[in-house]
C-alpha cells in the first residue's frame, strides 16, 4: 500500500528539516514554506517506494507535525 504526502502549509515554520531529510520529496516556495514536489502539495501522487524511508524520517522529524502522510487503498 503506497504512501501519499503533503505539507500542512498553515503550520509549517520553514525549518528545513523535511527538505534536508527527503530532498526528492519536498521543496520550498518563494516564501520559504515547504511543499510536496510530487504533485504540488496535493497529496494525490504515490511516494516512490525507494523514498518511503526518507518520508517517514521527515514526518517524524518535523517539529510542527506539518509533514502529513497517509495510505490509500
Amino acid at each position: 500500500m503506497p504512501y501519499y504526502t503533503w505539507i500542512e502549509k498553515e503550520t509549517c515554520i520553514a525549518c528545513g528539516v523535511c527538505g534536508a531529510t527527503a530532498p526528492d520529496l519536498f521543496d520550498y516556495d518563494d516564501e520559504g514554506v515547504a511543499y510536496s514536489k510530487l504533485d504540488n502539495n496535493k497529496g494525490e501522487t504515490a511516494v516512490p517506494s525507494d523514498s518511503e524511508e526518507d518520508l517517514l524520517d521527515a514526518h517524524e522529524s518535523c517539529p510542527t507535525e506539518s509533514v502529513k502522510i497517509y495510505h490509500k487503498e
Side-chain angles (χ1 to χ4, degrees):
M1 188 173 352
Y3 284 103
Y4 296 79
T5 188
W6 77 97
I7 299 291
E8 188 172 300
K9 295 175 95 62
E10 294 78 21
T11 58
C12 176
I13 59 171
C15 69
V17 170
C18 62
T21 306
D24 292 338
L25 301 177
F26 302 106
D27 203 354
Y28 304 92
D29 64 18
D30 293 338
E31 293 153 10
V33 176
Y35 69 94
S36 169
K37 293 178 6 178
L38 296 175
D39 57 10
N40 201 29
N41 212 50
K42 295 178 183 165
E44 298 172 351
T45 301
V47 173
S49 59
D50 61 346
S51 296
E52 287 179 358
E53 188 173 326
D54 289 345
L55 170 63
L56 295 174
D57 287 345
H59 173 73
E60 291 173 7
S61 300
C62 180
T64 60
E65 300 179 355
S66 297
V67 177
K68 303 299 183 183
I69 60 173
Y70 70 98
H71 288 289
K72 185 176 179 182
E73 295 184 29

